[in-house]
Amino acid sequence: MYIRIFPTSYVAAWTMVRKVGNMVQIALRPHDLRRHAATYASRSGTPIEIVSKVILRHADLSTTQRYLGKVNDTEAIRWIETLYG
């Protein structure tokens, strides 16, 4: 089910995001915000299944794992310290 949060078109949303990006001198696209929300949820402890199916609405979990499954060494050490520290 598709729920429209704001009564605006994709083009209008794209334009708003681009304009805000220009204001802060960043090349920003709506997809960047989607990716940020998913990464933030994942790194805050939200199960990857929820991120995949609910937030990103991916049909296959492997699609989400391709983007969120990559963790750099610093991030891995931080999680290990959080879990076992």
Side-chain angles (χ1 to χ4, degrees), residues 2-7 9-10 19 31 41 43 52 54 62 65 67-68 84:
Y2 176 74
I3 299 172
R4 194 173 213 175
I5 298 172
F6 301 105
S9 68
Y10 181 79
K19 185 182 284 188
H31 192 77
R43 292 188 178 169
S52 181
V54 178
S62 66
Q65 289 173 323
Y67 297 106
L68 298 180
Y84 300 107

Side-chain angles (χ1 to χ4, degrees), residues 2-54:
Y2 176 74
I3 299 172
R4 194 173 213 175
I5 298 172
F6 301 105
T8 188
S9 68
Y10 181 79
V11 172
W14 213 120
T15 302
M16 284 187 275
V17 169
R18 182 70 144 219
K19 185 182 284 188
V20 170
N22 288 340
M23 290 170 64
V24 295
Q25 300 177 345
I26 296 173
L28 191 61
R29 300 168 300 153
H31 192 77
D32 297 326
L33 301 178
R34 170 183 162 89
R35 188 176 323 136
H36 174 76
T39 302
Y40 181 80
S42 176
R43 292 188 178 169
S44 295
T46 304
I48 194 165
E49 294 84 3
I50 300 300
V51 174
S52 181
K53 300 294 182 184
V54 178

Side-chain angles (χ1 to χ4, degrees), residues 63-82:
T63 304
T64 306
Q65 289 173 323
R66 187 176 324 135
Y67 297 106
L68 298 180
K70 300 173 185 171
V71 176
N72 64 37
D73 292 343
T74 305
E75 186 75 14
I77 291 168
R78 187 176 70 79
W79 277 104
I80 290 169
E81 289 173 350
T82 300

